[in-house]
């Protein structure tokens, strides 16, 4: 399935990630921040899915029978653990060069994941629907956040779960996500993020509601410089944060 032109894809943002595609699975490369954050991302995702669909995470394949879409999947850092937990997984990305990287790594890992170069709008137009849509660190890179979130809503089955993470917009997030991560630590190339595209938690909840979903939870991802680790916070959403929302059941 080929990517189609939409009003939410930002070609400049796609070019940034295509330039880094080969480094997705290098924990010391340009995606080092995601590798460091991935354990807390997975903790939140698995806990939300297990609670919503009444799954026992101690079971062998707790997500068996669930159809999960990771939109903006990159190299598959979230797709692979979802597949290992038993889910049927589709990974979609508008950056074409990400797909073969993800496919090769999944094959090497013995995992069957359906990777596609496409967009949320194209999949929604095709009538596809999923139990869960993972929308992680993508909304701050699109041209039309409301249009994009509306497409994500259309991709959910009634009663489906939408998990969306992004970066808050305030002086602290500029200092941490841009000055710290891009300029000082050089974890990401300069220009990876644009501060003006960051979205506050209240703004994101409002957009999610306008898109036809019901926000039900939000948490912060907090980086501890002393321990050099990430943790989940109920209160500190000042930089990175994640939200959960449901599509109303019919």
């Amino acid at each position: 399935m080929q990517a189609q032109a939409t009003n939410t894809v930002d070609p400049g943002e796609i070019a940034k990630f295509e330039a880094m595609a080969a480094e997705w699975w290098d924990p010391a490369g340009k995606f080092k921040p995601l590798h460091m954050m991935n354990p807390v991302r997975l903790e939140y995702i698995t806990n939300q899915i297990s609670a919503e669909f009444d799954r026992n995470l101690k079971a062998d394949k707790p997500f068996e029978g669930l159809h999960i879409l990771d939109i903006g999947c990159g190299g598959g850092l979230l797709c692979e653990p979802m597949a290992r937990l038993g889910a049927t997984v589709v990974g979609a990305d508008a950056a074409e060069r990400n797909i073969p990287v993800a496919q090769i790594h999944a094959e090497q890992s013995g995992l069957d994941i359906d990777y596609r170069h496409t967009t949320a709008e194209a999949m929604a137009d095709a009538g596809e629907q999923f139990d869960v849509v993972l929308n992680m660190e993508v909304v701050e890179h699109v041209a039309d956040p409301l249009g994009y979130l509306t497409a994500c809503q259309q991709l959910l089955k009634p009663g489906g779960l939408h998990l969306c993470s992004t970066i808050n917009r305030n002086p602290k997030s500029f200092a941490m996500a841009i000055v710290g991560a891009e300029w000082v630590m050089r974890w990401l190339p300069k220009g990876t993020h644009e501060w003006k595209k960051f979205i506050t938690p209240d703004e994101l909840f409002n957009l999610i509601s306008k898109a036809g979903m019901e926000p039900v939870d939000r948490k912060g991802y907090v980086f501890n410089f002393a321990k050099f680790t990430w943790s989940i916070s109920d209160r500190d959403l000042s930089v990175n944060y994640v939200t959960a929302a449901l599509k109303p059941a019919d």
Side-chain angles (χ1 to χ4, degrees), residues 12-247:
E13 295 288 347
I14 298 303
K16 293 177 188 176
F17 287 92
E18 291 220 325
M20 299 185 286
E23 297 196 43
W24 273 107
W25 287 98
D26 180 1
K30 291 184 173 67
F31 294 102
K32 181 178 180 178
L34 281 184
H35 283 273
M36 294 172 64
M37 189 189 291
N38 224 32
V40 295
R41 293 202 305 169
L42 287 169
E43 179 183 348
Y44 186 84
I45 289 168
T46 55
N47 284 340
Q48 289 292 322
I49 294 174
S50 64
E52 186 60 35
F53 295 95
D54 194 24
R55 300 302 177 99
N56 180 4
L57 289 174
K58 295 182 179 179
D60 184 40
K61 299 286 185 181
F63 293 169
E64 193 166 18
L66 292 178
H67 200 195
I68 296 179
L69 169 65
D70 183 10
I71 192 74
C73 65
L77 300 186
L78 292 175
C79 289
E80 292 200 5
M82 294 300 104
R84 288 191 178 94
L85 290 169
T88 300
V89 180
V90 174
D93 205 298
E96 186 174 8
R97 290 179 62 186
N98 287 338
I99 300 305
V101 174
Q103 289 173 329
I104 290 170
H105 197 276
E107 290 171 4
Q108 292 173 340
S109 302
L111 297 170
D112 183 13
I113 298 171
D114 181 2
Y115 284 115
R116 308 179 194 176
H117 170 223
T118 187
T119 65
E121 290 86 355
M123 296 182 73
D125 287 345
E128 297 195 62
Q129 289 193 318
F130 300 83
D131 298 294
V132 180
V133 171
L134 303 181
N135 178 10
M136 315 300 279
E137 291 84 44
V138 178
V139 70
E140 72 270 22
H141 296 288
V142 302
D144 176 6
L146 179 56
Y148 170 68
L149 290 168
T150 299
C152 290
Q153 185 264 7
Q154 294 167 348
L155 286 165
L156 283 172
K157 297 176 183 177
L161 176 65
H162 175 258
L163 300 175
C164 179
S165 62
T166 189
I167 306 175
N168 203 339
R169 188 182 68 257
N170 54 40
K172 183 177 179 180
S173 70
F174 182 85
M176 297 281 287
I178 294 180
V179 176
E182 296 183 16
W183 300 358
V184 178
M185 302 301 291
R186 297 185 180 181
W187 285 338
L188 294 168
K190 288 184 179 181
T192 297
H193 292 108
E194 295 181 40
W195 183 79
K196 66 181 180 181
K197 285 189 171 184
F198 290 173
I199 302 171
T200 70
D202 287 346
E203 288 171 346
L204 184 56
F205 261 29
N206 185 50
L207 288 167
I208 288 170
S209 297
K210 285 184 176 179
M213 294 177 280
E214 298 175 355
V216 295
D217 187 58
R218 59 188 184 186
K219 297 284 193 298
Y221 294 149
V222 179
F223 186 69
N224 185 316
F225 280 94
K227 297 181 179 179
F228 225 64
T229 58
W230 289 89
S231 61
I232 297 174
S233 172
D234 290 329
R235 297 181 180 180
D236 187 353
L237 283 71
S238 58
V239 184
N240 298 83
Y241 68 97
V242 61
T243 67
L246 298 173
K247 180 172 181 174

